[in-house]
Amino acid sequence: MEITVRLNSEHYSNYEQGIIGVGTPLNIYIESGTLFAEQVEDAAGWYQRLSRPEEKALVQLNHNRYAFCGQVQDVHVDQDDLDIYYFVLLDCGLPVSLLVSDLQAETGTGDLGRNVPDPGTWLIGVTHLSIDWAEDMSLPVAEAVQGSVTRVERLVLRPGPGFGEFRSELELPLTPLAPDQVYLTLKIRDRLL
């Protein structure tokens, strides 16, 4: 399976193996930004709980934006006086770590909303995907995969020639990526256990 993900500048600066280019093998985990329950018009991302199982799917919409459908494998709850956030490991054909919140949940009352991502439940939604290194696994729930880079694309956001254009590159220089955005297409080979 191939997947396109965003590589942010901070994660690239923590890459200790040298330069990333076409053919580079990577051990990573796939993660989302924060998703909110039932906010289906939210450009950042949303999710909903399904009432019955469906077919697992991870469908690319554009660059690193994907529609997903999958079963919750594991959950970690992070709660304070104001908010409840769930770290979710979702199996949608690949293991994806989601950070989700239901704004309808009322902390302190026991009302967790209608979209609690309990293990075994099914979720659908839309999200932007990025990666982090398997050895730096900082999320409470995640599963690493192994893949190799098949394409590197850079959205040029530095002022000057080429501003706003996508460029294909064979490898990334050892310099900060920001403000440019870099997208890696990876051929996923195996899950790392």
Side-chain angles (χ1 to χ4, degrees):
M1 173 179 208
E2 279 200 343
I3 186 170
T4 299
V5 293
R6 182 155 178 234
L7 173 63
N8 71 41
S9 193
E10 178 186 349
H11 291 155
Y12 185 51
S13 67
N14 293 334
Y15 182 67
E16 298 176 354
Q17 311 303 319
I19 294 174
I20 294 176
V22 173
T24 302
L26 298 175
N27 293 334
I28 56 158
Y29 63 91
I30 304 164
E31 62 184 353
S32 77
T34 304
L35 308 177
F36 293 101
E38 299 187 4
Q39 303 290 317
V40 295
E41 294 183 13
D42 189 338
W46 59 271
Y47 81 101
Q48 288 181 344
R49 183 175 163 153
L50 295 174
S51 59
R52 66 184 199 292
E54 295 289 337
E55 186 174 333
K56 294 177 188 174
L58 188 61
V59 179
Q60 185 176 23
L61 303 176
N62 58 28
H63 287 93
N64 69 322
R65 190 169 189 216
Y66 283 80
F68 63 85
C69 180
Q71 186 176 32
V72 175
Q73 302 299 301
D74 198 2
V75 176
H76 173 82
V77 181
D78 189 11
Q79 183 173 349
D80 60 27
D81 292 338
L82 300 174
D83 298 305
I84 300 173
Y85 287 95
Y86 299 94
F87 294 90
V88 176
L89 178 59
L90 190 75
D91 182 359
C92 49
L94 284 177
V96 177
S97 295
L98 305 176
L99 174 58
V100 303
S101 182
D102 187 343
L103 298 176
Q104 302 303 314
E106 296 181 29
T107 58
T109 68
D111 180 2
L112 300 179
R114 296 184 328 198
N115 291 287
V116 177
D118 295 318
T121 59
W122 286 74
L123 304 179
I124 62 166
V126 172
T127 189
H128 290 89
L129 297 178
S130 60
I131 60 169
D132 202 353
W133 315 121
E135 57 273 2
D136 294 338
M137 202 168 301
S138 59
L139 295 176
V141 294
E143 184 180 330
V145 295
Q146 183 181 59
S148 59
V149 178
T150 60
R151 191 162 91 193
V152 177
E153 288 185 293
R154 180 188 293 263
L155 173 58
V156 178
L157 296 175
R158 297 171 194 271
F163 178 78
E165 294 179 1
F166 275 97
R167 294 185 183 161
S168 290
E169 299 185 351
L170 291 177
E171 64 181 27
L172 297 171
L174 289 173
T175 59
L177 303 178
D180 295 353
Q181 294 181 5
V182 171
Y183 301 90
L184 302 177
T185 300
L186 302 165
K187 182 168 183 66
I188 304 299
R189 290 191 294 254
D190 295 308
R191 292 181 178 200
L192 299 175
L193 300 176

